[in-house]
Amino acid sequence: MGEQQYNYLIVGAGLFGAVFAYRARKAGKRCLVIDKRSQLGGNIYCENIEGINVHKFGAHIFHTSNKQVWDFVNSIVEFNRYTNSPVANYRGKLYNLPFNMNTFYQMWSVKSPAEAMAKLEEQRAKAKALLEKAGVVEPRNLEEQALLLIGEDIYETLIKGYTEKQWGRKCTELPAFIIKRLPVRMVFDNNYFDDDYQGIPIGGYNKLIDGLLEDTEVCLKTDFFEDRDRLTAIAEKIVFTGAIDEFYNYRYGPLQYRTVSFETTIEDTTNFQGNAVVNYTEREIPFTRIIEHKHFEMFGATLESCSKTVISKEYSAEWKLGMEPYYPVNDERNNNLAEKYRVLAAKEKNVIFGGRLAEYKYYDMAPIVEKVLQMEI
């Protein structure tokens, strides 16, 4: 790198950094992208195993109703027609998600929207009566909120165990606002997203990142914090996508996250579970879900032509310093702490903070792209 000068030093080669670098290059700016990992793409990186693009850091499904965003990513790499239709496994019985007429038929054997709605209203009324009897005016925790929204049967079967594994806390200890609403669809439709567009890049997410970073200088295995002064000096501005509390050397203390680990295995079968995503909702099973990666990109004859498959069991855990942070813990303590760091960030003249770690905010992929497309560069 020497004494070369750049308009932007982009810390992190994930989606935010890659889209920013692409736009900056198109605007005639010179960028250097660095990442402490040995590969590009951040958490959307895919590893090819047995001819299958394995989502190494969890399932990523691109979905949006913003045509500008959809057209933009498709201008880099064509996306396929994958439709997200997860299945829940509770004690060996399967239920379709999101909650729709298939789910209600599987749960109660109801066959019409009127029958399903009557059952839901009956369960909601029961939950409301119990809370009123206990003198509860407003739901005090996630469990009470969920019971009012969806009733006991679905809550106990499809929400409680999964949520407690995901957050590492009992639902009675989680704030009610985590479940502000639950989608209920009175149609036989297993499409999880309401968005107009969804899919997976044909050939995997690496093709998207490679296309975005084409002709941009990149240095991998480069930790910003190990050489901060020199790296800061070689660019006019920094685009920082790492953890905001680390940027400020944990001045107010570390923010908390949930983290995820994966147990990935090659299975000697063409089709392990018949679906890309199967959630395991009972508390006693330690993993939250199994991802079968080939279903994201292989369909019909192509699926059967690949003699093996790759699955990943996903385990949620409490994050500690040194582990990979995944999901912000949006409780009062962490939100207040994050706001203190955001106040510091707002005062920076030559640093742009972007992405889930830099903003301490959960993002899907499309809103990240949309945000960068709207930025002045």
Side-chain angles (χ1 to χ4, degrees):
M1 292 181 286
E3 297 300 317
Q4 290 178 304
Q5 293 298 307
Y6 302 89
N7 299 110
Y8 292 106
L9 171 72
I10 301 172
V11 182
L15 189 59
F16 188 102
V19 176
F20 191 99
Y22 178 89
R23 287 204 60 218
R25 180 171 60 82
K26 292 293 186 181
K29 308 292 185 181
R30 190 165 187 213
C31 301
L32 172 65
V33 177
I34 65 170
D35 200 293
K36 64 183 179 181
R37 291 178 175 177
S38 59
Q39 72 276 334
L40 301 173
N43 282 5
I44 66 172
Y45 168 73
C46 294
E47 180 181 1
N48 192 279
I49 302 175
E50 297 287 341
I52 299 162
N53 290 313
V54 173
H55 296 208
K56 286 289 287 184
F57 302 97
H60 286 83
I61 299 139
F62 200 96
H63 57 99
T64 182
S65 288
N66 186 321
K67 191 173 188 301
Q68 180 193 14
V69 168
W70 184 247
D71 288 346
F72 172 77
V73 294
N74 275 270
S75 73
I76 307 298
V77 57
E78 185 181 356
F79 278 58
N80 69 17
R81 57 88 175 159
Y82 175 79
T83 300
N84 188 29
S85 302
V87 172
N89 183 315
Y90 179 76
R91 298 180 179 175
K93 187 171 181 180
L94 301 179
Y95 299 86
N96 290 106
L97 299 173
F99 308 137
N100 66 68
M101 283 300 301
N102 287 310
T103 322
F104 305 140
Y105 174 73
Q106 292 150 353
M107 184 71 65
W108 300 311
S109 296
V110 295
K111 298 177 182 177
S112 71
E115 289 177 307
M117 186 55 72
K119 194 69 178 176
L120 281 171
E121 291 299 338
E122 173 190 321
Q123 297 226 331
R124 288 166 176 164
K126 180 181 175 182
K128 184 178 180 181
L130 288 172
L131 291 179
E132 288 176 349
K133 186 177 180 180
V136 178
V137 179
E138 291 291 334
R140 299 164 295 183
N141 53 57
L142 185 148
E143 179 165 289
E144 292 176 353
Q145 179 71 82
L147 287 170
L148 287 173
L149 288 171
I150 204 69
E152 181 179 13
D153 290 349
I154 290 177
Y155 168 70
E156 292 286 345
T157 304
L158 301 178
I159 297 175
K160 183 177 181 178
Y162 187 88
T163 302
E164 291 185 346
K165 287 189 289 187
Q166 193 173 40
W167 291 99
R169 295 161 178 81
K170 292 181 178 179
C171 287
T172 52
E173 298 171 0
L174 292 167
F177 68 76
I178 290 179
I179 294 186
K180 295 179 180 178
R181 56 182 289 274
L182 287 170
V184 174
R185 300 177 184 170
M186 292 296 156
V187 291
F188 290 91
D189 182 2
N190 300 322
N191 181 2
Y192 194 82
F193 299 122
D194 287 326
D195 295 292
D196 294 336
Y197 313 103
Q198 65 180 299
I200 306 287
I202 295 175
Y205 281 99
N206 295 0
K207 288 190 174 294
L208 174 63
I209 295 296
D210 290 346
L212 290 168
L213 292 177
E214 187 178 13
D215 299 326
T216 296
E217 192 171 346
V218 176
C219 285
L220 297 174
K221 300 181 182 178
T222 303
D223 191 328
F224 173 74
F225 296 105
E226 290 182 358
D227 201 8
R228 183 169 182 161
D229 290 341
R230 184 179 69 86
L231 288 168
T232 300
I234 64 174
E236 296 171 17
K237 291 187 177 182
I238 296 171
V239 177
F240 185 76
T241 70
I244 190 171
D245 53 348
E246 186 178 13
F247 186 89
Y248 289 108
N249 198 27
Y250 308 104
R251 183 180 304 182
Y252 302 122
L255 291 160
Q256 293 177 308
Y257 298 86
R258 293 293 290 173
T259 191
V260 182
S261 62
F262 305 92
E263 180 186 317
T264 299
T265 57
I266 301 169
E267 301 294 327
D268 192 18
T269 179
T270 59
N271 192 347
F272 178 82
Q273 64 185 15
N275 204 46
V277 182
V278 177
N279 294 350
Y280 284 76
T281 59
E282 60 192 276
R283 185 68 183 87
E284 292 74 19
I285 291 179
F287 49 86
T288 55
R289 59 184 183 174
I290 295 179
I291 309 300
E292 187 173 4
H293 301 270
K294 72 190 305 184
H295 291 291
F296 291 126
E297 297 184 66
M298 296 182 181
F299 314 99
T302 305
L303 180 81
E304 296 299 323
S305 68
C306 183
S307 63
K308 295 185 185 296
T309 193
V310 180
I311 66 167
S312 296
K313 293 179 179 177
E314 195 168 303
Y315 298 82
S316 183
E318 201 73 20
W319 174 85
K320 295 178 182 178
L321 284 173
M323 299 173 74
E324 188 66 34
Y326 274 79
Y327 305 110
V329 178
N330 294 126
D331 58 16
E332 185 176 0
R333 180 259 179 195
N334 283 286
N335 287 336
N336 290 338
L337 188 57
E339 190 55 36
K340 287 184 178 180
Y341 285 117
R342 292 186 193 110
V343 170
L344 294 178
K347 296 176 182 177
E348 300 282 354
K349 294 182 179 179
N350 296 316
V351 184
I352 298 167
F353 293 85
R356 63 186 175 89
L357 300 182
E359 298 178 57
Y360 197 70
K361 177 182 178 182
Y362 179 78
Y363 275 108
D364 284 325
M365 290 178 287
I368 285 282
V369 175
E370 182 176 358
K371 182 167 188 172
V372 181
L373 291 181
Q374 292 173 346
M375 294 175 73
E376 273 191 43
I377 295 178

